[in-house]
């Protein structure tokens, strides 16, 4: 089952589309600040445990529930891998979730220029690691692959190759 919208596809579970060939894969670059943010649920778990030991049951339940909620959110939305397939870019998230960007919506991939609003799957706070995927009439997508220059080159080549073959997505 998957949700489908013209701008992107968010897949959950088994994909019923034909298997695509992986052209290039890269992992996200996680910097120190992003890793520190990911440790926030550990802080809430510890504080909740201390509150429970001290007899503050209601506040400890709140802190533990917050920790569980944050863990679930981080698990679901933090990118695990960026895959350039033969007809789309797939941002692999937690579990069976992934964010697909069909090639017919991609104009180009490049380094971000100035301030840009869009959909962010950034895992690094530094602009030097960022890649901006510029899309036709839609929000841009920002990611932080571990090898940004190589990623840009491979994605742009794949989009040009796809266009030259006259293919359409979906």
């Amino acid at each position: 089952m998957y949700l489908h919208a013209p701008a992107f596809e968010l897949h959950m579970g088994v994909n019923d589309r034909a298997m695509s060939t992986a052209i290039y894969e890269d992992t996200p670059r996680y910097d120190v600040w992003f890793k520190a943010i990911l440790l926030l649920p550990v802080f809430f778990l510890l504080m909740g445990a201390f509150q429970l030991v001290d007899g503050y049951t209601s506040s400890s339940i709140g802190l533990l529930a917050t920790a569980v909620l944050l863990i679930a959110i981080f698990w679901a939305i933090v990118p695990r891998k960026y895959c350039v397939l033969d007809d789309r870019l797939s941002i692999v998230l937690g579990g069976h979730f992934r964010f697909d960007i069909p090639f017919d919506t991609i104009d180009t991939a490049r380094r971000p220029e100035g301030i840009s609003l869009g959909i962010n799957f950034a895992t690094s706070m530094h602009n030097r690691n960022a890649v901006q995927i510029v899309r036709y009439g839609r929000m841009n997508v920002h990611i932080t692959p571990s090898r940004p220059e190589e990623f840009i080159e491979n994605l742009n080549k794949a989009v040009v190759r796809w266009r030259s073959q006259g293919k359409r997505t979906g």
Side-chain angles (χ1 to χ4, degrees), residues 81-99:
K81 183 171 33 172
Y82 306 116
C83 300
V84 177
L85 303 173
D86 55 7
D87 63 345
R88 66 187 176 275
L89 169 64
S90 186
I91 302 170
V92 180
L93 306 171
H96 294 289
F97 297 112
R98 72 175 189 261
F99 186 88

Side-chain angles (χ1 to χ4, degrees), residues 4 7 14 30 32 34 46 54 56 75 78 133 155 162 168:
H4 180 73
V14 178
Y30 301 108
V32 173
F34 189 77
L46 291 173
D54 287 343
Y56 298 104
W75 175 82
V78 172
I133 297 145
L155 178 58
W162 179 84
R168 291 287 171 245

Side-chain angles (χ1 to χ4, degrees), residues 36-52:
I37 291 170
L38 291 178
L39 287 175
L40 194 58
V42 173
F43 169 76
F44 286 118
L45 284 172
L46 291 173
M47 291 305 296
F50 288 134
Q51 291 286 322
L52 191 60

Side-chain angles (χ1 to χ4, degrees), residues 23-167:
I23 296 170
Y24 178 78
E25 291 184 353
D26 201 353
T27 56
R29 178 184 179 94
Y30 301 108
D31 68 9
V32 173
W33 296 109
F34 189 77
K35 289 177 184 176
I37 291 170
L38 291 178
L39 287 175
L40 194 58
V42 173
F43 169 76
F44 286 118
L45 284 172
L46 291 173
M47 291 305 296
F50 288 134
Q51 291 286 322
L52 191 60
V53 169
D54 287 343
Y56 298 104
T57 308
S58 60
S59 63
S60 69
I61 290 172
L63 287 168
L64 294 172
T66 301
V68 169
L69 180 63
L70 283 175
I71 289 168
I73 290 170
F74 289 164
W75 175 82
I77 67 169
V78 172
R80 306 301 194 278
K81 183 171 33 172
Y82 306 116
C83 300
V84 177
L85 303 173
D86 55 7
D87 63 345
R88 66 187 176 275
L89 169 64
S90 186
I91 302 170
V92 180
L93 306 171
H96 294 289
F97 297 112
R98 72 175 189 261
F99 186 88
D100 282 350
I101 306 169
F103 281 172
D104 62 355
T105 66
I106 296 177
D107 179 18
T108 189
R110 66 179 185 209
R111 293 299 197 145
E113 298 171 358
I115 297 173
S116 175
L117 298 176
I119 302 166
N120 289 302
F121 289 101
T123 56
S124 174
M125 305 300 175
H126 299 288
N127 208 24
R128 70 176 177 262
N129 303 321
V131 171
Q132 179 181 34
I133 297 145
V134 180
R135 301 192 305 160
Y136 296 113
R138 293 176 169 82
M139 294 181 79
N140 296 332
V141 177
H142 301 94
I143 60 174
T144 50
S146 58
R147 297 178 306 273
E149 294 302 329
E150 193 175 322
F151 182 87
I152 290 169
E153 179 183 341
N154 282 288
L155 178 58
N156 285 333
K157 280 182 185 177
V159 170
V160 167
R161 186 178 318 116
W162 179 84
R163 285 187 187 131
S164 71
Q165 296 172 350
K167 293 183 178 178

